[in-house]
PDB file of all heavy atoms in Angstrom:
ATOM      1  N   ASN D 673      93.499 113.512  83.222  1.00 97.00           N
ATOM      2  CA  ASN D 673      94.824 113.052  83.305  1.00 97.00           C
ATOM      3  C   ASN D 673      95.674 113.851  82.204  1.00 97.00           C
ATOM      4  O   ASN D 673      96.603 113.355  81.682  1.00 97.00           O
ATOM      5  CB  ASN D 673      95.064 111.695  83.142  1.00 97.00           C
ATOM      6  CG  ASN D 673      94.631 110.981  84.480  1.00 97.00           C
ATOM      7  OD1 ASN D 673      94.906 111.545  85.593  1.00 97.00           O
ATOM      8  ND2 ASN D 673      93.932 109.820  84.320  1.00 97.00           N
ATOM      9  N   THR D 674      95.335 115.125  81.886  1.00 97.00           N
ATOM     10  CA  THR D 674      95.978 115.835  80.875  1.00 97.00           C
ATOM     11  C   THR D 674      97.419 116.048  81.107  1.00 97.00           C
ATOM     12  O   THR D 674      98.315 116.025  80.131  1.00 97.00           O
ATOM     13  CB  THR D 674      95.286 117.225  80.687  1.00 97.00           C
ATOM     14  OG1 THR D 674      95.621 117.829  79.370  1.00 97.00           O
ATOM     15  CG2 THR D 674      95.650 118.154  81.839  1.00 97.00           C
ATOM     16  N   ARG D 675      97.841 116.126  82.317  1.00 98.00           N
ATOM     17  CA  ARG D 675      99.283 116.272  82.635  1.00 98.00           C
ATOM     18  C   ARG D 675     100.069 115.005  82.289  1.00 98.00           C
ATOM     19  O   ARG D 675     101.239 115.056  81.858  1.00 98.00           O
ATOM     20  CB  ARG D 675      99.472 116.627  84.095  1.00 98.00           C
ATOM     21  CG  ARG D 675      99.076 118.117  84.395  1.00 98.00           C
ATOM     22  CD  ARG D 675      99.204 118.425  85.972  1.00 98.00           C
ATOM     23  NE  ARG D 675      98.985 119.906  86.122  1.00 98.00           N
ATOM     24  CZ  ARG D 675      98.848 120.478  87.236  1.00 98.00           C
ATOM     25  NH1 ARG D 675      99.063 119.720  88.386  1.00 98.00           N
ATOM     26  NH2 ARG D 675      98.774 121.698  87.298  1.00 98.00           N
ATOM     27  N   LEU D 676      99.403 113.923  82.598  1.00 98.00           N
ATOM     28  CA  LEU D 676     100.018 112.582  82.313  1.00 98.00           C
ATOM     29  C   LEU D 676     100.102 112.405  80.765  1.00 98.00           C
ATOM     30  O   LEU D 676     101.215 111.976  80.205  1.00 98.00           O
ATOM     31  CB  LEU D 676      99.344 111.352  82.893  1.00 98.00           C
ATOM     32  CG  LEU D 676      99.794 110.048  82.803  1.00 98.00           C
ATOM     33  CD1 LEU D 676     101.218 109.869  83.388  1.00 98.00           C
ATOM     34  CD2 LEU D 676      98.733 109.156  83.361  1.00 98.00           C
ATOM     35  N   ILE D 677      99.147 112.890  80.073  1.00 98.00           N
ATOM     36  CA  ILE D 677      99.099 112.867  78.643  1.00 98.00           C
ATOM     37  C   ILE D 677     100.359 113.641  78.107  1.00 98.00           C
ATOM     38  O   ILE D 677     101.174 113.190  77.278  1.00 98.00           O
ATOM     39  CB  ILE D 677      97.830 113.331  78.013  1.00 98.00           C
ATOM     40  CG1 ILE D 677      96.614 112.549  78.274  1.00 98.00           C
ATOM     41  CG2 ILE D 677      97.970 113.551  76.448  1.00 98.00           C
ATOM     42  CD1 ILE D 677      95.258 113.056  77.997  1.00 98.00           C
ATOM     43  N   ASN D 678     100.599 114.862  78.616  1.00 97.00           N
ATOM     44  CA  ASN D 678     101.717 115.653  78.315  1.00 97.00           C
ATOM     45  C   ASN D 678     103.005 114.920  78.551  1.00 97.00           C
ATOM     46  O   ASN D 678     103.919 114.892  77.716  1.00 97.00           O
ATOM     47  CB  ASN D 678     101.758 116.951  79.022  1.00 97.00           C
ATOM     48  CG  ASN D 678     100.547 118.006  78.519  1.00 97.00           C
ATOM     49  OD1 ASN D 678     100.060 117.584  77.351  1.00 97.00           O
ATOM     50  ND2 ASN D 678     100.177 118.894  79.426  1.00 97.00           N
ATOM     51  N   ALA D 679     103.133 114.219  79.640  1.00 97.00           N
ATOM     52  CA  ALA D 679     104.298 113.703  80.116  1.00 97.00           C
ATOM     53  C   ALA D 679     104.609 112.397  79.185  1.00 97.00           C
ATOM     54  O   ALA D 679     105.723 112.044  79.043  1.00 97.00           O
ATOM     55  CB  ALA D 679     104.230 113.137  81.477  1.00 97.00           C
ATOM     56  N   MET D 680     103.557 111.812  78.575  1.00 98.00           N
ATOM     57  CA  MET D 680     103.786 110.640  77.789  1.00 98.00           C
ATOM     58  C   MET D 680     103.965 110.994  76.256  1.00 98.00           C
ATOM     59  O   MET D 680     104.742 110.304  75.542  1.00 98.00           O
ATOM     60  CB  MET D 680     102.484 109.737  77.765  1.00 98.00           C
ATOM     61  CG  MET D 680     102.393 109.208  79.128  1.00 98.00           C
ATOM     62  SD  MET D 680     100.989 108.126  79.282  1.00 98.00           S
ATOM     63  CE  MET D 680     101.411 106.656  78.245  1.00 98.00           C
ATOM     64  N   PHE D 681     103.563 112.153  75.880  1.00 97.00           N
ATOM     65  CA  PHE D 681     103.584 112.542  74.416  1.00 97.00           C
ATOM     66  C   PHE D 681     104.551 113.651  74.080  1.00 97.00           C
ATOM     67  O   PHE D 681     104.882 113.806  72.860  1.00 97.00           O
ATOM     68  CB  PHE D 681     102.134 112.928  73.883  1.00 97.00           C
ATOM     69  CG  PHE D 681     101.251 111.765  73.644  1.00 97.00           C
ATOM     70  CD1 PHE D 681     100.525 111.123  74.480  1.00 97.00           C
ATOM     71  CD2 PHE D 681     101.199 111.121  72.364  1.00 97.00           C
ATOM     72  CE1 PHE D 681      99.705 110.099  74.455  1.00 97.00           C
ATOM     73  CE2 PHE D 681     100.429 110.051  72.142  1.00 97.00           C
ATOM     74  CZ  PHE D 681      99.674 109.518  73.131  1.00 97.00           C
ATOM     75  N   GLU D 682     104.940 114.368  75.017  1.00 96.00           N
ATOM     76  CA  GLU D 682     105.749 115.523  74.692  1.00 96.00           C
ATOM     77  C   GLU D 682     107.213 115.060  74.220  1.00 96.00           C
ATOM     78  O   GLU D 682     107.617 114.158  74.559  1.00 96.00           O
ATOM     79  CB  GLU D 682     105.893 116.476  75.897  1.00 96.00           C
ATOM     80  CG  GLU D 682     106.768 115.839  76.941  1.00 96.00           C
ATOM     81  CD  GLU D 682     107.250 116.847  78.047  1.00 96.00           C
ATOM     82  OE1 GLU D 682     106.653 117.943  78.206  1.00 96.00           O
ATOM     83  OE2 GLU D 682     108.256 116.638  78.730  1.00 96.00           O
ATOM     84  N   LYS D 683     107.719 116.001  73.361  1.00 95.00           N
ATOM     85  CA  LYS D 683     109.136 115.866  72.905  1.00 95.00           C
ATOM     86  C   LYS D 683     109.847 117.065  73.714  1.00 95.00           C
ATOM     87  O   LYS D 683     109.435 118.142  73.536  1.00 95.00           O
ATOM     88  CB  LYS D 683     109.240 116.120  71.364  1.00 95.00           C
ATOM     89  CG  LYS D 683     108.773 114.866  70.699  1.00 95.00           C
ATOM     90  CD  LYS D 683     109.172 114.783  69.206  1.00 95.00           C
ATOM     91  CE  LYS D 683     108.443 115.812  68.423  1.00 95.00           C
ATOM     92  NZ  LYS D 683     108.756 115.677  66.927  1.00 95.00           N
ATOM     93  N   ARG D 684     110.915 116.721  74.304  1.00 92.00           N
ATOM     94  CA  ARG D 684     111.688 117.742  75.040  1.00 92.00           C
ATOM     95  C   ARG D 684     113.219 117.674  74.806  1.00 92.00           C
ATOM     96  O   ARG D 684     113.660 116.631  74.777  1.00 92.00           O
ATOM     97  CB  ARG D 684     111.367 117.424  76.574  1.00 92.00           C
ATOM     98  CG  ARG D 684     111.858 118.501  77.437  1.00 92.00           C
ATOM     99  CD  ARG D 684     111.478 118.138  78.957  1.00 92.00           C
ATOM    100  NE  ARG D 684     109.995 118.429  79.242  1.00 92.00           N
ATOM    101  CZ  ARG D 684     109.551 119.604  79.659  1.00 92.00           C
ATOM    102  NH1 ARG D 684     110.413 120.592  79.914  1.00 92.00           N
ATOM    103  NH2 ARG D 684     108.349 119.678  79.889  1.00 92.00           N
ATOM    104  N   THR D 685     113.721 118.770  74.265  1.00 90.00           N
ATOM    105  CA  THR D 685     115.080 118.654  74.097  1.00 90.00           C
ATOM    106  C   THR D 685     115.846 119.793  74.797  1.00 90.00           C
ATOM    107  O   THR D 685     117.074 119.967  74.637  1.00 90.00           O
ATOM    108  CB  THR D 685     115.388 118.921  72.568  1.00 90.00           C
ATOM    109  OG1 THR D 685     114.569 120.089  72.147  1.00 90.00           O
ATOM    110  CG2 THR D 685     114.875 117.752  71.751  1.00 90.00           C
ATOM    111  N   ARG D 686     115.137 120.574  75.610  1.00 88.00           N
ATOM    112  CA  ARG D 686     115.828 121.577  76.394  1.00 88.00           C
ATOM    113  C   ARG D 686     115.706 121.221  77.933  1.00 88.00           C
ATOM    114  O   ARG D 686     114.534 120.962  78.402  1.00 88.00           O
ATOM    115  CB  ARG D 686     115.347 122.942  76.292  1.00 88.00           C
ATOM    116  CG  ARG D 686     115.431 123.369  74.794  1.00 88.00           C
ATOM    117  CD  ARG D 686     114.894 124.737  74.560  1.00 88.00           C
ATOM    118  NE  ARG D 686     115.885 125.704  75.006  1.00 88.00           N
ATOM    119  CZ  ARG D 686     116.062 126.890  74.605  1.00 88.00           C
ATOM    120  NH1 ARG D 686     115.259 127.433  73.618  1.00 88.00           N
ATOM    121  NH2 ARG D 686     116.960 127.757  75.134  1.00 88.00           N
ATOM    122  N   PHE D 687     116.727 121.385  78.689  1.00 88.00           N
ATOM    123  CA  PHE D 687     116.778 120.848  80.034  1.00 88.00           C
ATOM    124  C   PHE D 687     117.502 121.782  81.098  1.00 88.00           C
ATOM    125  O   PHE D 687     118.476 122.518  80.617  1.00 88.00           O
ATOM    126  CB  PHE D 687     117.458 119.500  80.210  1.00 88.00           C
ATOM    127  CG  PHE D 687     116.638 118.501  79.399  1.00 88.00           C
ATOM    128  CD1 PHE D 687     117.076 118.179  78.015  1.00 88.00           C
ATOM    129  CD2 PHE D 687     115.686 117.717  79.775  1.00 88.00           C
ATOM    130  CE1 PHE D 687     116.430 117.349  77.200  1.00 88.00           C
ATOM    131  CE2 PHE D 687     114.990 116.855  79.088  1.00 88.00           C
ATOM    132  CZ  PHE D 687     115.402 116.559  77.769  1.00 88.00           C
ATOM    133  N   GLN D 688     117.041 121.879  82.252  1.00 83.00           N
ATOM    134  CA  GLN D 688     117.741 122.739  83.219  1.00 83.00           C
ATOM    135  C   GLN D 688     119.023 122.153  83.631  1.00 83.00           C
ATOM    136  O   GLN D 688     120.005 122.815  83.767  1.00 83.00           O
ATOM    137  CB  GLN D 688     116.699 122.777  84.605  1.00 83.00           C
ATOM    138  CG  GLN D 688     117.213 123.922  85.353  1.00 83.00           C
ATOM    139  CD  GLN D 688     116.499 123.755  86.777  1.00 83.00           C
ATOM    140  OE1 GLN D 688     115.487 123.123  87.029  1.00 83.00           O
ATOM    141  NE2 GLN D 688     117.123 124.305  87.801  1.00 83.00           N
ATOM    142  N   ASP D 689     119.113 120.859  83.695  1.00 83.00           N
ATOM    143  CA  ASP D 689     120.413 120.034  84.041  1.00 83.00           C
ATOM    144  C   ASP D 689     120.797 119.235  83.005  1.00 83.00           C
ATOM    145  O   ASP D 689     120.025 118.952  82.005  1.00 83.00           O
ATOM    146  CB  ASP D 689     119.997 119.276  85.326  1.00 83.00           C
ATOM    147  CG  ASP D 689     121.326 118.950  86.176  1.00 83.00           C
ATOM    148  OD1 ASP D 689     122.231 118.691  85.520  1.00 83.00           O
ATOM    149  OD2 ASP D 689     121.196 119.162  87.428  1.00 83.00           O
ATOM    150  N   SER D 690     122.081 118.840  82.994  1.00 83.00           N
ATOM    151  CA  SER D 690     122.511 117.960  81.913  1.00 83.00           C
ATOM    152  C   SER D 690     122.874 116.628  82.479  1.00 83.00           C
ATOM    153  O   SER D 690     123.515 115.758  81.797  1.00 83.00           O
ATOM    154  CB  SER D 690     123.651 118.626  81.249  1.00 83.00           C
ATOM    155  OG  SER D 690     124.684 118.947  82.179  1.00 83.00           O
TER     156      SER D 690
END
Side-chain angles (χ1 to χ4, degrees):
N673 288 320
T674 195
R675 288 176 170 175
L676 185 59
I677 294 170
N678 290 337
M680 293 178 72
F681 281 85
E682 70 166 19
K683 288 196 284 189
R684 189 176 283 270
T685 50
R686 302 182 73 154
F687 301 90
Q688 193 193 342
D689 204 315
S690 49

